[in-house]
Amino acid sequence: MTTVVRPHLATLITRERATHAERTAGSRAAYGTADHLFGRVPMTWMNKWAGGYPLYMAAASGNRITDVDGNEYVDFSLGDTASMAGHSPAATVAAVQKRIGVDGGIATMMPTPDAEWVAADLTRRFGLPLWSFSLTATDANRWALRLARAITGRPKIMAFSYSYHGSVDETLAVLGPDGSTLDRPGNVGAPVPLHETTRAAEFNDIASVEAGLAHGDVAVLIMEPAMTNIGIVLPEPGFLAAVERACRAAGTLLLIDETHTISEGPGGCTRAWDLHPDLFVIGKSIGGGVPSGAYGLSAELAARISARDDVDLIDVGGVGGTLSGNPMSTAAMRGTLEHVLTDEAFAHMIGLGTRFREGVEEVFTTYGVPWSVSQLGARVEYRFQSPAPRTGTESAAAHDPELEEYLHLYLSNRGVIITPFHNMALMCPATTAADVDLHTTLFDAAVRELAH
Ligand SMILES: Cc1ncc(COP(=O)(O)O)c(C=O)c1O
């Protein structure tokens, strides 16, 4: 199959939508009566799920979710990485229960000893010596960008086209064909046009990075070491080292956001690939799904900040968050990092990531499908283009909403969930080889039907 026959695909989608509606009547009814929720969902992105409404969850454990209609799913979405440790991992639950139910104290504006334990473990994993906590990766990124502007005295940041770092206004930019910075299509309520705050560059295009940095006004380059939010776009050999060199040469700080790319290993890409960020951000998974996030500082940057008495980090300054670093969140991070997202768990998850990728590759070969699949440790993603896209702009162009809807519904109607955004699958400690093989079998069947 070299091209998808669209009328045939439309017929398959209609059939899968009907099956979905039949299997998930309870979810449909709950959605239909959610009259007090804006967009009928507690968070508007939940409308991304294929089939016209989200599945309502009744229970979740490990890598299994049961919906309100009693359907059980093998979950490769894992809350879009928030539950990379699996749903309600026992050690996280025990740590939180002890903290809030036995010892007591959810939010006190006082530290607990867990905070230093977690910070030391983040240092062991990622190398940066000093840490602060947030409750989301979005907030950690916002604060890290503010610190970078404060310390460098430069007004702008650099971000890659079609990257995603949370709802951080300055990052929602794309590079125009003439090298200008544009608002990303769909960006909501930007306070000012993006070219005022940002210089966009293209991933895997070092010339675009150097051109933007040459203006001398970029405080910090924020990046994922591999893009994960427009499909996976892996760095080409030498690109990340060239980025580090370009930042150093321009006096621009480097912020690495490993909120998703921690899938590459217990120390993320930073450890696996020997990267040297000045600032580092992580969120989602480290609390096992309990709101948590962190940003790390290099020793040199921390010293620069501490030497400045005009940078107010204690009172009403650029960073904050009354609930950040709260006892519940830090207990959850400690329980998760100490007992769940261990080095051994990563070895298991990455092995399954490889098995998942190989299964998908076999299907491509069997049916001669011109798609690609990329792996980032425990994270795997297929994209409707071959060879795999090498920039965010290329990957955005490979987006195919119809194919996505078909595959997502085909899988979920048969008990497998992948992330509602594009085609990401993530392994957690509870994922098994049989779960991966179930996906391969269903993916094979879905593509076979498409090809005939
Ligand atoms: C790389 C990256 N950074 C930051 C975020 C923001 O995370 P949150 O929405 O939990 O704040 C995301 C969310 O998908 C992400 O992928």
Side-chain angles (χ1 to χ4, degrees):
M1 180 185 70
T2 46
T3 49
V4 173
V5 180
R6 292 290 153 173
H8 178 48
L9 175 57
T11 310
L12 292 174
I13 292 174
T14 306
R15 184 192 74 192
E16 293 302 322
R17 275 189 198 148
T19 308
H20 177 77
E22 219 171 277
R23 276 169 49 90
T24 60
S27 290
R28 196 170 69 249
Y31 183 76
T33 53
D35 295 333
H36 299 88
L37 293 173
F38 181 54
R40 302 201 166 276
V41 280
M43 197 271 274
T44 51
W45 284 28
M46 291 183 188
N47 276 318
K48 266 273 191 186
W49 289 99
Y53 50 91
L55 297 174
Y56 269 61
M57 191 218 40
S61 174
N63 72 332
R64 295 287 198 278
I65 288 188
T66 306
D67 72 15
V68 292
D69 292 287
N71 301 304
E72 192 183 87
Y73 301 87
V74 172
D75 183 16
F76 288 104
S77 169
L78 297 170
D80 196 30
T81 310
S83 291
M84 185 175 165
H87 296 293
S88 295
T92 311
V93 171
V96 169
Q97 280 177 340
K98 176 165 180 337
R99 178 71 263 165
I100 72 173
V102 179
D103 299 336
I106 299 175
T108 52
M109 274 288 276
M110 289 179 194
T112 54
D114 284 337
E116 169 58 21
W117 189 97
V118 172
D121 192 63
L122 296 176
T123 297
R124 177 187 74 81
R125 287 167 186 265
F126 304 112
L128 293 91
L130 292 163
W131 296 87
S132 281
F133 296 119
S134 64
L135 290 186
T136 66
T138 301
D139 264 346
N141 277 323
R142 284 197 186 114
W143 300 337
L145 296 185
R146 285 184 172 171
L147 283 176
R149 280 191 298 254
I151 287 310
T152 60
R154 295 180 177 183
K156 289 193 174 169
I157 68 133
M158 176 174 280
F160 287 114
S161 271
Y162 294 99
S163 59
Y164 185 72
H165 297 280
S167 54
V168 180
D169 288 310
E170 303 95 306
T171 60
L172 294 164
V174 292
L175 189 66
D178 60 352
S180 59
T181 296
L182 308 173
D183 288 33
R184 181 174 173 159
N187 187 5
V188 174
V192 291
L194 267 282
H195 67 84
E196 290 187 25
T197 59
T198 308
R199 293 199 182 277
E202 200 69 80
F203 197 76
N204 278 329
D205 177 356
I206 192 64
S208 72
V209 174
E210 288 168 348
L213 296 185
H215 294 271
D217 56 1
V218 177
V220 58
L221 165 55
I222 180 172
M223 70 182 294
E224 292 188 283
M227 300 184 83
T228 65
N229 285 296
I230 190 80
I232 292 175
V233 180
L234 295 171
E236 292 180 338
F239 176 66
L240 297 177
V243 166
E244 285 191 358
R245 276 197 304 274
C247 285
R248 303 285 175 260
T252 294
L253 299 171
L254 178 62
L255 162 48
I256 291 192
D257 177 355
E258 293 243 36
T259 299
H260 279 181
T261 52
I262 188 182
S263 62
E264 180 64 13
C269 299
T270 295
R271 189 160 99 206
W273 302 345
D274 191 26
L275 307 177
H276 310 94
D278 304 291
L279 289 147
F280 181 100
V281 161
I282 184 136
K284 297 199 184 185
S285 65
I286 54 172
V290 174
S292 340
Y295 60 94
L297 306 172
S298 70
E300 197 212 342
L301 181 61
R304 279 172 73 184
I305 297 172
S306 302
R308 287 269 299 271
D309 51 19
D310 61 323
V311 178
D312 172 14
L313 296 180
I314 294 180
D315 202 351
V316 190
V319 300
T322 311
L323 299 175
S324 301
N326 72 64
M328 182 174 85
S329 175
T330 38
M333 286 190 277
R334 179 170 183 170
T336 307
L337 294 172
E338 190 170 5
H339 301 294
V340 192
L341 289 179
T342 58
D343 293 9
E344 300 72 43
F346 268 96
H348 168 76
M349 291 151 64
I350 292 168
L352 292 179
T354 301
R355 189 181 183 103
F356 192 108
R357 173 181 53 75
E358 289 172 350
V360 170
E361 280 169 349
E362 255 177 62
V363 173
F364 291 169
T365 308
T366 306
Y367 301 102
V369 183
W371 301 343
S372 54
V373 58
S374 300
Q375 179 185 359
L376 194 65
R379 177 186 304 276
V380 185
E381 169 125 21
Y382 27 92
R383 209 77 190 135
F384 308 118
Q385 181 187 311
S386 179
R390 45 177 300 283
T391 67
T393 301
E394 268 181 39
S395 200
H399 187 52
D400 189 325
E402 285 180 349
L403 266 181
E404 259 180 30
E405 183 179 5
Y406 167 60
L407 289 171
H408 283 240
L409 287 178
Y410 195 99
L411 293 172
S412 78
N413 283 338
R414 292 157 186 82
V416 168
I417 292 174
I418 58 175
T419 198
F421 318 110
H422 37 103
N423 308 301
M424 189 277 289
L426 188 63
M427 317 298 135
C428 74
T431 310
T432 66
D435 297 330
V436 171
D437 294 347
L438 172 63
H439 169 270
T440 305
T441 303
L442 293 177
F443 185 65
D444 182 293
V447 175
R448 189 172 59 236
E449 285 211 47
L450 199 59
H452 291 106

